[in-house]
Amino acid sequence: MSIVSSIQKNVIAALSALHNQPFSEKDFQINLTKPEFEGDYTVVLFSLVKSLRQSPDAIGNQLGQELIKLNPGFFTGYNIIKGFLNLSIDDSYWINLLRENHADICYGKKEMNGKKVMVEYSSPNTNKPLHLGHLRNNFLGWSVSEILKANGYQVIKSAIVNDRGIHICKSMIAWQLFANGATPESTNTKGDHFVGDYYVQFNDQYKLQVEKLIKEGVDKETAEKTAPIMKATQQMLLDWEEGKPAVMELWKTMNQWVYAGFDITYKRIGSNFDIVYYESNTYMLGKNIVQQGLDKKIFYQKEDGSIWIDLTADGLDEKIVQRKDGTSVYITQDIGLALQKYEEYKIDQSIYVIGNEQNYHMKVLQLICKKLGMPNADNIFHLSYGMVELTSGKMKSREGTVVDADDLVDEMVATAQQHTEELGKVKDFTEAELKDLYDILGLGAMKFYLLRVDPKKTMVFNPQESIDFHGFTGPFVQYTYARIQSILRKVVNGEWSMVNGQWSMVNDESSVVNGELPMVNEELGEALLKLEKEVLVILEQYPAAIEQACIEHNPSVIASYIFNLAKTFNSFYTEHSIANAETATKKQLRLQLATMTANVIKSGMQLLGIRVPERM
């Protein structure tokens, strides 16, 4: 039970005893006490004034006295400032928290709850490499999956690959026209970059042909439809749908080139999936559902044979679900895949990590599923996120101005190397250790920067700012972890050892009892110092941060929490020595404090998909 829950329970018991009526946690609010006031946690009393017909100060005095009377080993005192009851918590609570959890690498995580969630993310097209937008998507999807696991859910990570359609045929036509048989191997080019280059070439050639037709007197709309390269692409799409062998063989070959490239990128950025769906296998899904919807009069058919649903009564509009030629549209296959996911895995929730430009589409998808009475309809959740831009502005893949994920990762690693070498603290590292360190720092900087922002917000990615070792960044947190590890190595140095998860002196056990820290009010004989308690207060909040991040599907909660912990520990260590602590008992306490802080930082960073270096 968290300390806030404990305080709530005590306050409810005290109020009920004083006023002989039931209360709940909704009747009052508990916050951390502001730094300028004495106390640890504050009960906000104003919401009780009306029902109890007493002044805030009168309520506070009665409540404070009753709390100490009911639980004197937990509450040590109180004061009232303008309607706020500030409570002081006995130091033994914090000492016990430290003793019991400092060596627990699973601290804050919950037991399995028996519920199953599928998280769909990435969703790339096979006509171009992954780009910066895909990075935010992948990092969000992967991190949310890990946060869900930490809260006890069984998680299935999935992706849907958009491997068919006119955009895929554009790359294929361009390859036929311009490649002269070239392959990724013959050109020593990563497969997804190789195919993406032909997608750009298609659009370059298409523009030239449209301009030429316009100069010859053809209007723009007609020129765009009749440009030879576009007509060839449209014919290729028809040939693909008819299954013509030569087209299918080229399609499979070029997709394999792209998949090989994707796999390299996914491995490098630490993204993975338990199941991958392919649009070429799913685009026919949902046609049976459309017929069922027609029979139930949920859908209706127009004179041209196309099938629609009218959602105007629900505040949306009319939506086509099947073309007049009987082919599916995107919403149709999404309905079919939603049902397939449920039938295959019996998931309790289906989370779609998709950009906010698809907000309307996702509303329509869920509403249609509900009207069809599909068993998973209420459990569809759209994790909508804002677009990410560079400081130089928006990106356009067809113009070749998109920043490829691989190029950005390379840039981040190179920047990490530059910053680290400027600090000059890695002269004793081997070449392999340096390479690994630069990867850890570069990727960590990028992931932390992209995840520290609430997913709903549009953001600008600044590579140079993300690598700063002193700001709200991944490298700052990573440096704090490495610093703690260095402290522990130096302080221990044969004098202290970890036995059964407890620090103790090798040659002097007089300061410890069974390898455990003495009780604060007994053997310790001195109170926790302000900064020691501040670190412990934040450490106590880690389970609540994991839970909040899960409820909100928001990794930025974890990023903010870890940064705050790292910053507070650095403030503590600036003021108080571990190696030269005032007493052996203080040294023991601070060793445990440093150990637990390092464990929580490592745990939290893992939830973000970020590694932490043991030294740097």
Side-chain angles (χ1 to χ4, degrees):
M1 182 184 294
S2 70
I3 191 168
V4 171
S5 296
S6 295
I7 295 171
Q8 286 175 334
K9 184 179 177 182
N10 277 273
V11 169
I12 289 170
L15 286 171
S16 299
L18 286 168
H19 302 286
N20 196 29
Q21 66 184 73
F23 291 87
S24 75
E25 65 272 8
K26 295 178 181 178
D27 294 320
F28 54 89
Q29 188 176 350
I30 295 175
N31 301 320
L32 280 168
T33 301
K34 292 182 179 179
E36 60 266 30
F37 301 124
E38 182 183 351
D40 300 310
Y41 285 85
T42 297
V43 183
V44 183
L45 303 168
F46 299 105
S47 57
L48 295 165
V49 170
K50 185 176 180 181
S51 62
L52 298 181
R53 298 182 180 180
Q54 294 180 15
S55 70
D57 284 5
I59 296 170
N61 269 311
Q62 291 176 355
L63 180 56
Q65 291 173 18
E66 188 69 16
L67 286 170
I68 292 175
K69 175 184 166 185
L70 288 174
N71 201 340
F74 187 60
F75 300 105
T76 59
Y78 71 91
N79 65 82
I80 299 166
I81 307 290
K82 297 181 179 179
F84 295 91
L85 172 61
N86 302 318
L87 300 166
S88 295
I89 308 300
D90 194 280
D91 281 355
S92 62
Y93 174 86
W94 306 109
I95 298 295
N96 286 331
L97 172 80
L98 184 62
R99 179 194 295 114
E100 293 170 5
N101 297 290
H102 75 275
D104 182 6
I105 60 173
C106 294
Y107 170 68
K109 297 180 179 179
K110 296 181 179 179
E111 298 293 327
M112 297 298 290
N113 59 24
K115 294 186 178 179
K116 199 181 296 184
V117 178
M118 180 176 284
V119 182
E120 179 189 293
Y121 57 96
S122 196
S123 306
N125 296 324
T126 57
N127 63 329
K128 54 193 174 185
L130 302 178
H131 55 65
L132 176 56
H134 286 114
L135 289 178
R136 189 180 196 191
N137 183 298
N138 272 267
F139 297 159
L140 268 175
W142 197 93
S143 180
V144 166
S145 297
E146 294 304 305
I147 290 167
L148 285 161
K149 288 180 186 177
N151 281 272
Y153 292 89
Q154 180 185 344
V155 177
I156 302 107
K157 298 174 182 175
S158 74
I160 173 73
V161 178
N162 302 302
D163 64 340
R164 63 170 288 276
I166 192 73
H167 53 295
I168 309 300
C169 293
K170 289 177 181 178
S171 296
M172 293 165 64
I173 282 289
W175 184 85
Q176 286 183 329
L177 292 172
F178 308 121
N180 295 316
T183 67
E185 292 78 13
S186 69
T187 59
N188 195 29
T189 308
K190 191 164 169 281
D192 50 340
H193 288 258
F194 179 84
V195 173
D197 288 343
Y198 287 101
Y199 181 67
V200 174
Q201 284 190 48
F202 171 90
N203 283 286
D204 291 342
Q205 185 64 29
Y206 177 54
K207 279 184 181 178
L208 291 174
Q209 291 184 5
V210 169
E211 289 170 1
K212 182 174 182 292
L213 287 170
I214 291 173
K215 285 179 181 177
E216 292 172 356
V218 179
D219 65 89
K220 184 180 178 184
E221 186 177 350
T222 302
E224 289 174 344
K225 289 179 180 178
T226 59
I229 196 169
M230 179 58 76
K231 291 183 74 174
T233 303
Q234 291 167 339
Q235 182 59 50
M236 178 174 276
L237 180 60
L238 292 174
D239 292 342
W240 183 91
E241 290 175 346
E242 291 176 8
K244 291 198 172 178
V247 173
M248 297 303 292
E249 187 63 32
L250 177 61
W251 171 75
K252 289 176 183 176
T253 298
M254 293 186 71
N255 274 346
Q256 287 305 316
W257 291 340
V258 174
Y259 298 148
F262 284 171
D263 287 345
I264 293 170
T265 305
Y266 284 139
K267 185 175 181 180
R268 191 167 190 200
I269 67 174
S271 196
N272 65 298
F273 310 95
D274 301 304
I275 179 70
V276 177
Y277 297 101
Y278 297 90
E279 190 184 332
S280 55
N281 295 330
T282 66
Y283 80 107
M284 295 298 288
L285 291 175
K287 291 192 71 172
N288 290 338
I289 298 174
V290 170
Q291 185 57 51
Q292 292 168 20
L294 266 178
D295 295 342
K296 295 177 182 177
K297 303 194 183 317
I298 295 168
F299 302 143
Y300 68 94
Q301 195 162 19
K302 289 190 175 181
E303 291 181 2
D304 65 359
S306 60
I307 300 174
W308 296 69
I309 185 170
D310 186 356
L311 301 174
T312 53
D314 300 283
L316 303 177
D317 59 10
E318 292 183 292
K319 183 74 175 177
I320 187 171
V321 294
Q322 188 171 291
R323 297 186 187 94
K324 61 183 179 181
D325 60 3
T327 57
S328 300
V329 294
Y330 276 114
I331 197 73
T332 320
Q333 63 195 48
D334 285 347
I335 294 166
L337 184 55
L339 183 59
Q340 180 178 327
K341 287 177 179 180
Y342 178 78
E343 290 177 340
E344 286 179 347
Y345 292 97
K346 295 297 184 288
I347 46 179
D348 296 285
Q349 188 177 40
S350 185
I351 298 174
Y352 295 75
V353 184
I354 302 177
N356 57 14
E357 76 277 9
Q358 295 295 327
N359 284 355
Y360 183 82
H361 178 86
M362 291 304 299
K363 284 181 182 176
V364 170
L365 172 63
Q366 184 168 37
L367 187 54
I368 292 177
C369 288
K370 285 182 177 180
K371 288 181 180 295
L372 290 168
M374 289 169 55
N376 58 316
D378 288 328
N379 297 323
I380 290 174
F381 178 81
H382 177 202
L383 202 174
S384 173
Y385 66 92
M387 295 295 98
V388 55
E389 301 171 6
L390 285 168
T391 49
S392 56
K394 293 184 178 180
M395 304 173 290
K396 297 179 181 178
S397 58
R398 62 180 175 273
E399 295 177 9
T401 60
V402 159
V403 176
D404 290 335
D406 299 310
D407 295 339
L408 189 56
V409 171
D410 287 341
E411 179 186 340
M412 292 303 303
V413 172
T415 305
Q417 178 176 350
Q418 176 191 337
H419 280 249
T420 305
E421 289 175 350
E422 287 172 359
L423 293 174
K425 295 182 179 181
V426 290
K427 291 183 170 54
D428 60 333
F429 280 57
T430 67
E431 189 173 330
E433 287 172 336
L434 283 174
K435 184 179 182 303
D436 190 46
L437 178 64
Y438 301 147
D439 269 358
I440 290 173
L441 294 177
L443 276 165
M446 181 166 54
K447 288 186 180 185
F448 194 93
Y449 200 91
L450 291 173
L451 291 174
R452 72 178 193 176
V453 178
D454 187 308
K456 294 186 287 294
K457 295 180 179 178
T458 297
M459 65 172 294
V460 175
F461 178 66
N462 184 330
Q464 287 294 329
E465 185 179 290
S466 74
I467 206 79
D468 186 355
F469 280 70
H470 302 288
F472 180 16
T473 65
F476 171 79
V477 177
Q478 289 170 318
Y479 175 74
T480 302
Y481 176 84
R483 184 186 195 190
I484 294 173
Q485 296 305 100
S486 175
I487 291 166
L488 293 176
R489 285 192 296 269
K490 289 176 182 176
V491 172
V492 175
N493 195 27
E495 179 186 353
W496 292 72
S497 65
M498 179 78 85
V499 180
N500 296 325
Q502 300 290 341
W503 288 106
S504 61
M505 294 185 73
V506 174
N507 299 316
D508 180 7
E509 297 184 359
S510 60
S511 63
V512 294
V513 180
N514 296 324
E516 293 187 347
L517 187 67
M519 289 296 291
V520 63
N521 291 327
E522 297 174 13
E523 291 87 348
L524 185 57
E526 54 186 302
L528 285 170
L529 298 178
K530 182 175 181 292
L531 286 168
E532 291 171 339
K533 184 185 281 189
E534 284 185 16
V535 177
L536 280 166
V537 167
I538 296 172
L539 287 169
E540 191 276 337
Q541 295 167 357
Y542 185 49
I546 295 177
E547 185 174 352
Q548 181 187 348
C550 178
I551 292 169
E552 298 179 4
H553 302 93
N554 184 1
S556 74
V557 172
I558 301 294
S560 296
Y561 170 85
I562 301 169
F563 171 71
N564 190 30
L565 173 61
K567 185 173 63 171
T568 306
F569 180 87
N570 283 322
S571 297
F572 151 74
Y573 187 64
T574 299
E575 294 292 326
H576 303 295
S577 172
I578 295 177
N580 300 310
E582 299 83 354
T583 65
T585 302
K586 272 291 184 188
K587 193 170 188 177
Q588 163 80 330
L589 181 145
R590 291 175 188 170
L591 281 167
Q592 292 186 353
L593 193 64
T595 302
M596 188 171 180
T597 300
N599 285 342
V600 170
I601 286 176
K602 185 174 185 177
S603 171
M605 292 291 263
Q606 284 174 339
L607 294 180
L608 302 178
I610 300 173
R611 292 191 292 156
V612 285
E614 295 300 312
R615 61 191 188 115
M616 58 185 283

